[in-house]
Amino acid sequence: MELNIRQEAVAGSFYPASPVQLKEDVRRLLSGIPQKTSDRKLRGLVVPHAGYMYSGEVAAWAFAEVAHSSQAFKDVLVIGPSHHYRFEGIATDPHDYWQTPLGRTRIKSADFRPDKNVHTPEHSLEVELPFIQTVLPDAEI
């Protein structure tokens, strides 16, 4: 059976296309955040989705909360805007996996309208994925 994989749309422009460079950049951004402990339960994050040169440091602050949390996360719900298509409601990605230079992440199916056209060129969720793959390597989205 052939895997249904969503390929990168913005690797090499919004973040490095090189797996080595991307891993180094994400780890460098995360390592610059002071480790803190908190008893509060993490319920969600609002994270910028611009290119790493613009918003990578702010994204790292958000994902450091996950990395330093004592909570276990297996499933990650990512929600983002569409920059290319106008539509009503929610459009989910119809693929089974999402590819980045760091590897593949499983996409769990959802009970919403799948729309490949909306997702194929979109960067808003893709730029978050290398951080998710780094801090939660076994997570599914």
Side-chain angles (χ1 to χ4, degrees):
M1 180 168 85
E2 187 174 326
L3 295 177
N4 184 10
I5 301 169
R6 194 259 196 208
Q7 297 298 320
E8 307 101 320
V10 294
S13 59
F14 279 64
Y15 61 86
S18 159
V20 172
Q21 186 65 54
L22 179 56
K23 182 180 251 184
E24 181 181 309
D25 285 1
V26 170
R27 290 196 189 279
R28 177 185 48 76
L29 288 164
L30 288 168
S31 70
I33 310 305
Q35 186 170 358
K36 55 187 174 182
T37 57
S38 173
D39 293 334
R40 69 176 187 238
K41 185 174 184 176
L42 184 60
R43 299 196 184 272
L45 299 169
V46 176
V47 183
H49 64 266
Y52 287 7
M53 64 187 287
Y54 302 110
S55 68
E57 189 173 335
V58 176
W61 276 92
F63 285 109
E65 288 287 323
V66 174
H68 300 152
S69 173
S70 61
Q71 295 169 249
F73 301 97
K74 179 168 176 8
D75 296 327
V76 178
L77 175 64
V78 287
I79 301 171
S82 172
H83 292 86
H84 302 278
Y85 291 94
R86 181 183 164 101
F87 63 95
E88 299 220 5
I90 296 173
T92 59
D93 193 302
H95 296 94
D96 297 320
Y97 293 89
W98 200 325
Q99 181 74 42
T100 77
L102 299 183
R104 293 182 189 138
T105 296
R106 177 91 170 104
I107 300 173
K108 296 181 87 167
S109 64
D111 293 330
F112 298 105
R113 174 180 54 102
D115 192 328
K116 185 177 179 180
N117 292 327
V118 169
H119 282 274
T120 299
E122 186 54 53
H123 70 273
S124 65
L125 304 179
E126 181 180 333
V127 297
E128 311 299 341
L129 194 50
F131 282 100
I132 294 168
Q133 291 172 317
T134 300
V135 301
L136 298 170
D138 298 323
E140 297 180 344
I141 59 171

